[in-house]
Amino acid sequence: MTKALDRPPVKPAATGAGRRAFPVDVRLLGLTGVLVLLLLIGYVTNPDTFITEGNLSIMLRQAAAIGVVSVGMTFVILTAGIDLSVGSLVALASVWMTTVATQSYGPFVMVLCGLLVGLGAGLVNGMLIAYGKVVPFIMTLAMMASARGLAERISGRQTQVVTESGFTSFFGADFLGIPVLVWMLALVFTVGWVVLNRTTFGRRTFAIGGNAEAARLSGINVKRHVALVYGISGLCCGIAAIISVARTTSGASTTGMFYELDAIAAVVIGGTLLSGGRGSLIGTLIGVLIFTALSSIFTQNNLDTDIQSIAKGAIIVAAVLLQHTTARRRKAKPRGPAEAPTEATGSEK
């Protein structure tokens, strides 16, 4: 009979007690380090104007609209989708809410109009993608062209100035010394984080991105969920349109140009996989702030915008290559016999 002492000890399964009380996300720490480095570069190159209350307020106002759009884009990419129409939806919502007819009903109707236009267009995307089985790239590309064309049609390719004083006075004000537009970004981000990390809807979003067929077999209504995710993206575009109109006091068919590229870049930089199933809204927010700081540095140093575009492109490529490298290392990492593959979401804890 083999003695019990001769047997190899069984490695206990990982439990909550064996985990770190405060897990450290190295990727988020690295992104934070990049943001701090950019702020230091901005301060060194323009010590008198960069780290000032005025410039920081401008940077945060600029980050508000694209930040809100990026929250919706994070949900979409987590399901392994893509939304190329976000910039055009911002333009369409901004134009619709600043027509003379809409403004005549007051600020409440203006806000409601912007939200409904964005939500409605997003649901159209989602319904045709989920139930019509149109490829997300093709569907949102078609919506990008159609929404921009409709915005031009409604506005006559003219900039529509906001004449409703109640709208500009509220959204242009500060609350506790912080612009209302920044509070809007904080509110959208907070709600998005809670939904993504503390609700069944969020868990299902990660599950669909990880393996849509497995999610369907587990009882998740994948089609309805995907349609709702694109609706969330559209709703975020409506909120971004309100922010953009409040910041510029106008609506135009050119509003939101290249927002889709900036949003996708911020999401990818933040660590969300383009293949879906793994991502972080905190990383997305840091990605937005990184690009905002980069734009401010280029503007204050009078550098050409083409160099800024090249720098953004290089950062995006580097981030995607880093994702692929990390994914290969994760797949190549051997697992012990007692190690269960329970890491399915990658969401923030």
Side-chain angles (χ1 to χ4, degrees), residues 48 58 69 79 82 86 88 92 96 138 143 226 234 253 261 270 294 296 339 345:
D48 297 329
I58 292 173
V69 171
T79 61
I82 198 73
V86 291
S88 297
L92 179 60
W96 214 315
I138 299 300
M143 180 61 77
V226 169
S253 59
L261 299 181
L294 187 64
S296 181
E339 183 179 353
T345 63

Short mmCIF file of all heavy atoms in Angstrom, two decimals, residues 48 58 69 79 82 86 88 92 96 138 143 226 234 253 261 270 294 296 339 345:
data_model
loop_
_atom_site.label_atom_id
_atom_site.label_comp_id
_atom_site.label_asym_id
_atom_site.label_seq_id
_atom_site.Cartn_x
_atom_site.Cartn_y
_atom_site.Cartn_z
N ASP A 48 4.07 77.86 -19.21
CA ASP A 48 3.20 78.94 -18.76
C ASP A 48 1.74 78.75 -19.14
O ASP A 48 0.87 79.42 -18.58
CB ASP A 48 3.69 80.28 -19.33
CG ASP A 48 5.09 80.64 -18.84
OD1 ASP A 48 5.42 80.25 -17.70
OD2 ASP A 48 5.84 81.29 -19.60
N ILE A 58 -10.29 73.52 -21.16
CA ILE A 58 -10.49 73.36 -22.61
C ILE A 58 -10.28 71.91 -23.03
O ILE A 58 -11.05 71.34 -23.82
CB ILE A 58 -9.53 74.29 -23.38
CG1 ILE A 58 -9.91 75.75 -23.17
CG2 ILE A 58 -9.53 73.94 -24.88
CD1 ILE A 58 -8.93 76.73 -23.76
N VAL A 69 -18.85 59.24 -26.93
CA VAL A 69 -18.94 58.36 -28.10
C VAL A 69 -18.11 57.09 -27.86
O VAL A 69 -18.53 55.99 -28.24
CB VAL A 69 -18.46 59.09 -29.37
CG1 VAL A 69 -18.34 58.12 -30.54
CG2 VAL A 69 -19.42 60.21 -29.73
N THR A 79 -18.59 43.30 -28.23
CA THR A 79 -19.37 42.23 -28.85
C THR A 79 -18.77 41.80 -30.19
O THR A 79 -19.43 41.10 -30.96
CB THR A 79 -20.82 42.68 -29.08
OG1 THR A 79 -20.84 43.81 -29.97
CG2 THR A 79 -21.50 43.07 -27.78
N ILE A 82 -18.40 46.68 -34.78
CA ILE A 82 -17.74 47.95 -35.10
C ILE A 82 -18.83 48.94 -35.51
O ILE A 82 -19.87 48.54 -36.04
CB ILE A 82 -16.70 47.78 -36.24
CG1 ILE A 82 -15.73 48.97 -36.28
CG2 ILE A 82 -17.39 47.59 -37.58
CD1 ILE A 82 -14.74 48.98 -35.16
N VAL A 86 -20.69 56.63 -36.06
CA VAL A 86 -20.87 57.48 -34.87
C VAL A 86 -20.68 58.97 -35.19
O VAL A 86 -21.45 59.81 -34.71
CB VAL A 86 -19.93 57.04 -33.73
CG1 VAL A 86 -20.35 55.69 -33.18
CG2 VAL A 86 -18.48 56.99 -34.20
N SER A 88 -21.17 60.54 -38.03
CA SER A 88 -22.31 61.02 -38.82
C SER A 88 -23.56 61.13 -37.97
O SER A 88 -24.39 62.03 -38.18
CB SER A 88 -22.55 60.08 -40.00
OG SER A 88 -21.44 60.07 -40.88
N LEU A 92 -25.92 64.33 -37.52
CA LEU A 92 -27.36 64.31 -37.77
C LEU A 92 -28.15 64.78 -36.55
O LEU A 92 -29.08 65.59 -36.68
CB LEU A 92 -27.78 62.89 -38.15
CG LEU A 92 -29.28 62.67 -38.43
CD1 LEU A 92 -29.74 63.55 -39.58
CD2 LEU A 92 -29.56 61.20 -38.72
N TRP A 96 -30.44 68.18 -36.37
CA TRP A 96 -31.87 68.04 -36.12
C TRP A 96 -32.31 68.84 -34.90
O TRP A 96 -33.41 69.39 -34.85
CB TRP A 96 -32.22 66.57 -35.93
CG TRP A 96 -33.58 66.21 -36.46
CD1 TRP A 96 -34.74 66.90 -36.27
CD2 TRP A 96 -33.92 65.08 -37.28
NE1 TRP A 96 -35.79 66.28 -36.90
CE2 TRP A 96 -35.32 65.16 -37.52
CE3 TRP A 96 -33.21 64.01 -37.80
CZ2 TRP A 96 -36.00 64.20 -38.28
CZ3 TRP A 96 -33.89 63.07 -38.55
CH2 TRP A 96 -35.25 63.16 -38.80
N ILE A 138 -20.32 46.86 -43.02
CA ILE A 138 -21.08 47.34 -44.16
C ILE A 138 -22.27 48.18 -43.71
O ILE A 138 -22.55 49.25 -44.26
CB ILE A 138 -21.56 46.16 -45.02
CG1 ILE A 138 -20.36 45.37 -45.56
CG2 ILE A 138 -22.42 46.66 -46.18
CD1 ILE A 138 -19.42 46.16 -46.42
N MET A 143 -24.72 53.57 -42.99
CA MET A 143 -25.34 54.56 -42.13
C MET A 143 -24.48 55.82 -42.03
O MET A 143 -25.01 56.94 -41.95
CB MET A 143 -25.55 53.97 -40.73
CG MET A 143 -26.19 54.93 -39.72
SD MET A 143 -27.83 55.50 -40.20
CE MET A 143 -28.80 54.04 -39.78
N VAL A 226 -27.40 42.33 -29.19
CA VAL A 226 -26.58 43.08 -30.14
C VAL A 226 -27.32 44.33 -30.61
O VAL A 226 -26.74 45.42 -30.73
CB VAL A 226 -26.19 42.19 -31.34
CG1 VAL A 226 -25.58 43.02 -32.47
CG2 VAL A 226 -25.21 41.11 -30.90
N GLY A 234 -25.76 54.52 -30.34
CA GLY A 234 -26.48 55.64 -30.92
C GLY A 234 -26.91 56.66 -29.88
O GLY A 234 -26.84 57.87 -30.11
N SER A 253 -23.57 69.96 -40.46
CA SER A 253 -23.40 68.63 -41.04
C SER A 253 -21.95 68.17 -40.98
O SER A 253 -21.66 66.99 -41.20
CB SER A 253 -23.87 68.64 -42.50
OG SER A 253 -23.14 69.58 -43.27
N LEU A 261 -13.01 57.37 -36.04
CA LEU A 261 -11.60 56.98 -35.96
C LEU A 261 -11.04 57.26 -34.58
O LEU A 261 -10.31 56.43 -34.00
CB LEU A 261 -10.79 57.71 -37.03
CG LEU A 261 -11.19 57.45 -38.49
CD1 LEU A 261 -10.29 58.22 -39.44
CD2 LEU A 261 -11.15 55.97 -38.80
N GLY A 270 -7.10 51.73 -25.16
CA GLY A 270 -7.50 51.36 -23.80
C GLY A 270 -7.46 49.87 -23.52
O GLY A 270 -7.69 49.47 -22.38
N LEU A 294 -2.40 64.80 -26.38
CA LEU A 294 -1.55 64.85 -27.57
C LEU A 294 -1.98 65.98 -28.51
O LEU A 294 -1.14 66.72 -29.03
CB LEU A 294 -1.61 63.51 -28.30
CG LEU A 294 -0.66 63.30 -29.48
CD1 LEU A 294 0.79 63.32 -29.01
CD2 LEU A 294 -0.97 61.99 -30.20
N SER A 296 -3.57 68.71 -27.66
CA SER A 296 -3.25 69.99 -27.04
C SER A 296 -1.77 70.33 -27.20
O SER A 296 -1.41 71.49 -27.45
CB SER A 296 -3.63 69.95 -25.56
OG SER A 296 -3.36 71.18 -24.93
N GLU A 339 -6.11 24.03 -13.00
CA GLU A 339 -6.42 25.42 -13.32
C GLU A 339 -7.59 25.46 -14.27
O GLU A 339 -7.52 24.94 -15.38
CB GLU A 339 -5.20 26.11 -13.95
CG GLU A 339 -5.43 27.58 -14.25
CD GLU A 339 -4.22 28.23 -14.86
OE1 GLU A 339 -3.18 27.58 -14.93
OE2 GLU A 339 -4.33 29.40 -15.26
N THR A 345 -14.05 37.21 -19.12
CA THR A 345 -14.53 38.54 -19.45
C THR A 345 -13.43 39.56 -19.53
O THR A 345 -13.38 40.36 -20.43
CB THR A 345 -15.55 39.02 -18.40
OG1 THR A 345 -14.91 39.11 -17.14
CG2 THR A 345 -16.71 38.03 -18.32
#
